[in-house]
Amino acid sequence: MLDELFAERIGASAAMRIMQSAREGHLCVFREEIGNALDLLPPAVIGIGNGSASLAPIVRHEDRYYLQKNWVYETYILQQVKRLRQSPAPSYFDRTRFYKALEEACLAGKLSKEQGEAGRSLLDSCLTVISGGPGTGKTYTVSWLVQFLAAALPVEESACCHICLAAPTGKAAAHLQSIVMTQWKGVSTLQFETATLHRLLRLQPGQLRLASDFRIDADFVIVDEASMIDVPLLAHLLKAIGPDTMLLLLGDPHQLPPIETTSLFPEMARLLGSSLERCLRVEDAHLQQVACAVKEGNADTFDQLLDGTSSKAVRLDWEFSPLLAEKLFMRIGSLLSPDRPDPKAAWDHYLHVRILNAVRKGSYGTERLNQQIFSLLHNQAHSQNLWWAAPILATCNDPYAAIYNGMGGILIGRGRQIHKAYFPDTEEPQWRAFPSPPSYELSFCLSIHKSQGSEFDAVIALFPEGSERFGREAIYTALTRSKKKIEVVGKRETLRAMIARSSQKKTGFSARF
């Protein structure tokens, strides 16, 4: 009796460890972390990782333990990846014409050698993965691949290729659309649809529909910012790709993983993908070197590069003080005017310098700093009776208004009164006015998670104490949002602790693949 009671208590402690790990975004826990106490529990509590035993609340497979839900997701995604990788691309695309157009673009210098190599894998199967950091030309490459597919269509006049452009957020989907559709807008044989992933899959946040027969009605689905796709959303996406549809996933495997559940994109990129390594966007080589040191977890090189005086692209400032909001307000430039600001001009103004923050709560968190900066803007506008403009992010989906969660906009007012909110039109180069603003949050200061998919001329990156738990991916993501210059604000010991830690989560995907 004592042995059984002891085993149950030890097993319960280990089970709590698995549940805590799942809340932190991990899919599994390794045996070395919890020992073999769970193996003493009855089969009704813990099952072996095969189809018949997966209904147990805890599942063991080799040296890994899963909550049953996470085991099902990982197993299902592996099955879907295998299905798509073994499915040939639709036969109606003329491969000879596709590869000829690709080769001509490479010979003409329109695509680099590595971009051409990535493109050659597109028709190998129904699932293609292309990874790379910011500025490596992922979406640029895809815009050419779309053109090559158009050239590879059957010669019949009725032939047409339906392409879906999608991303986890409306902002990222709109960015993908602007690059792909602007360059090839005149191609009559292509029909485009742009949507967030949830809208494309007809899902509500948190909804589970893996048992449905829904399929995306498209020849080609392109998904950008795939590192932001969590495990449940990835499962639904793969399930919705039918046998005559190709899926292309684009993303940076070194960015921050999703908050709720991990992303499998880094492992998919390593196992299945083509990688673009050469950065074509960042103007200062010093900034690239710093980002590379962070990506590799090399804190000593990071310190040396920050201490270097040969470049002004990266600065380190560890001063956090009660006057931080005032300093930031001065740095980003207040947008005050005796005349009502133009929303597009206001948007461009706030794109030049953007504040990014690893932490949302606390004295130096995103929420408090946004309110403090907004109060400074309000007070100054009120005292001089001036118009003002503030950057905002939509926090809800409104398909009727074509506003989606994460879409950027501008709030305009006079004195202390809000006048209207403005959001860009998704189809026309103009801004739409909303007298009753949709649900939004201020975005003078963005969380680093929400900055993914964006780029700015200069970045002020804040890493208050407590940022350590986000790991090196938070620093890397902030660094790679900037095209020219970044100022890092944080104590050196905080930054070294972040670089020493990875925020990527534990899974069994690679081992089982």
Side-chain angles (χ1 to χ4, degrees), residues 231-280:
V231 165
L233 189 56
L234 177 63
H236 285 88
L237 172 62
L238 297 176
K239 172 69 167 59
I241 303 298
D244 294 321
T245 300
M246 294 186 296
L247 172 64
L248 171 58
L249 299 178
L250 304 170
D252 185 346
H254 302 289
Q255 289 193 50
L256 278 165
I259 297 175
E260 295 81 7
T261 308
T262 190
S263 169
L264 292 178
F265 181 77
E267 294 177 76
M268 293 177 67
R270 185 175 67 252
L271 296 167
L272 309 172
S274 300
S275 178
L276 303 179
E277 300 294 339
R278 184 186 174 195
C279 183
L280 307 171

Side-chain angles (χ1 to χ4, degrees), residues 99-110:
Y99 291 121
K100 180 182 178 181
L102 175 61
E103 190 66 26
E104 289 175 349
C106 291
L107 290 173
K110 296 175 181 177

Side-chain angles (χ1 to χ4, degrees), residues 459-478:
V459 164
I460 302 172
L462 310 179
F463 298 100
E465 292 185 18
S467 301
E468 297 88 343
R469 66 183 184 274
F470 295 109
R472 69 179 73 103
E473 289 80 6
I475 301 179
Y476 172 83
T477 302

Side-chain angles (χ1 to χ4, degrees), residues 28-339:
C28 61
V29 170
F30 288 86
R31 181 191 290 270
E32 63 188 27
E33 300 176 64
I34 58 175
N36 61 356
L38 286 174
D39 297 339
L40 303 175
L41 297 179
V45 177
I46 181 166
I48 305 301
N50 55 46
S52 61
S54 62
L55 294 178
I58 296 176
V59 179
R60 177 171 67 84
H61 181 73
E62 297 180 351
D63 63 340
R64 297 176 299 277
Y65 296 87
Y66 300 78
L67 291 185
Q68 188 263 351
K69 176 185 69 174
N70 289 340
W71 165 257
V72 170
Y73 274 131
E74 186 177 273
T75 302
Y76 187 82
I77 290 171
L78 281 162
Q79 293 169 348
Q80 294 298 318
V81 167
K82 182 178 180 180
R83 171 180 71 87
L84 294 174
R85 291 290 286 187
Q86 293 178 346
S87 299
S91 59
Y92 51 79
F93 288 112
D94 188 313
R95 283 157 172 74
T96 300
R97 292 206 301 266
F98 177 86
Y99 291 121
K100 180 182 178 181
L102 175 61
E103 190 66 26
E104 289 175 349
C106 291
L107 290 173
K110 296 175 181 177
L111 291 176
S112 68
K113 181 179 179 180
E114 66 175 6
Q115 289 170 337
E117 289 297 326
R120 287 185 180 90
S121 64
L122 185 66
L123 296 183
D124 290 345
S125 72
C126 283
L127 174 61
T128 305
V129 179
I130 298 179
S131 66
T136 54
K138 297 186 296 296
T139 49
Y140 171 81
T141 302
V142 168
S143 70
W144 280 97
L145 296 181
V146 167
Q147 175 73 356
F148 304 152
L149 282 179
L153 283 170
V155 294
E156 293 86 358
E157 292 183 3
S158 60
C160 186
C161 183
H162 181 197
I163 299 175
C164 286
L165 307 174
T169 67
K171 175 178 61 178
H175 176 70
L176 177 63
Q177 177 194 43
S178 68
I179 294 177
V180 174
M181 290 187 64
T182 299
Q183 188 166 358
W184 304 118
K185 198 170 184 179
V187 180
S188 60
T189 54
L190 303 179
Q191 292 182 354
F192 290 96
E193 174 188 355
T194 304
T196 63
L197 273 179
H198 280 90
R199 185 185 179 199
L200 181 66
L201 298 171
R202 301 177 186 174
L203 282 175
Q204 296 296 323
Q207 186 179 16
L208 301 178
R209 291 179 52 199
L210 289 180
S212 76
D213 295 326
F214 174 75
R215 291 286 191 272
I216 298 172
D217 182 19
D219 299 287
F220 191 24
V221 178
I222 305 171
V223 181
D224 200 5
E225 298 297 338
S227 64
M228 299 169 64
I229 304 175
D230 62 22
V231 165
L233 189 56
L234 177 63
H236 285 88
L237 172 62
L238 297 176
K239 172 69 167 59
I241 303 298
D244 294 321
T245 300
M246 294 186 296
L247 172 64
L248 171 58
L249 299 178
L250 304 170
D252 185 346
H254 302 289
Q255 289 193 50
L256 278 165
I259 297 175
E260 295 81 7
T261 308
T262 190
S263 169
L264 292 178
F265 181 77
E267 294 177 76
M268 293 177 67
R270 185 175 67 252
L271 296 167
L272 309 172
S274 300
S275 178
L276 303 179
E277 300 294 339
R278 184 186 174 195
C279 183
L280 307 171
R281 187 190 73 187
V282 181
E283 298 178 4
D284 192 293
H286 191 76
L287 184 51
Q288 296 182 45
Q289 293 173 349
V290 176
C292 186
V294 173
K295 181 173 65 176
E296 296 172 355
N298 194 328
D300 291 336
T301 301
F302 176 75
D303 274 350
Q304 293 169 8
L305 290 169
L306 284 182
D307 292 336
T309 58
S310 60
S311 171
K312 295 182 179 179
V314 184
R315 284 185 54 203
L316 176 64
D317 181 353
W318 52 79
E319 181 183 353
F320 280 97
S321 73
L323 298 178
L324 179 63
E326 285 84 347
K327 286 179 61 177
L328 296 174
F329 180 63
M330 295 297 294
R331 293 291 297 279
I332 63 176
S334 60
L335 213 163
L336 297 164
S337 171
D339 303 314

Side-chain angles (χ1 to χ4, degrees), residues 339-374:
D339 303 314
R340 185 171 62 188
D342 174 71
K344 175 63 168 61
W347 177 255
D348 291 341
H349 169 85
Y350 286 115
L351 282 182
H352 290 307
V353 181
R354 185 54 62 96
I355 308 161
L356 305 182
N357 199 333
V359 176
R360 286 191 62 87
K361 304 289 185 180
S363 300
Y364 303 114
T366 299
E367 295 177 358
R368 184 163 184 177
L369 287 174
N370 271 323
Q371 288 298 331
Q372 289 176 331
I373 294 172
F374 191 49

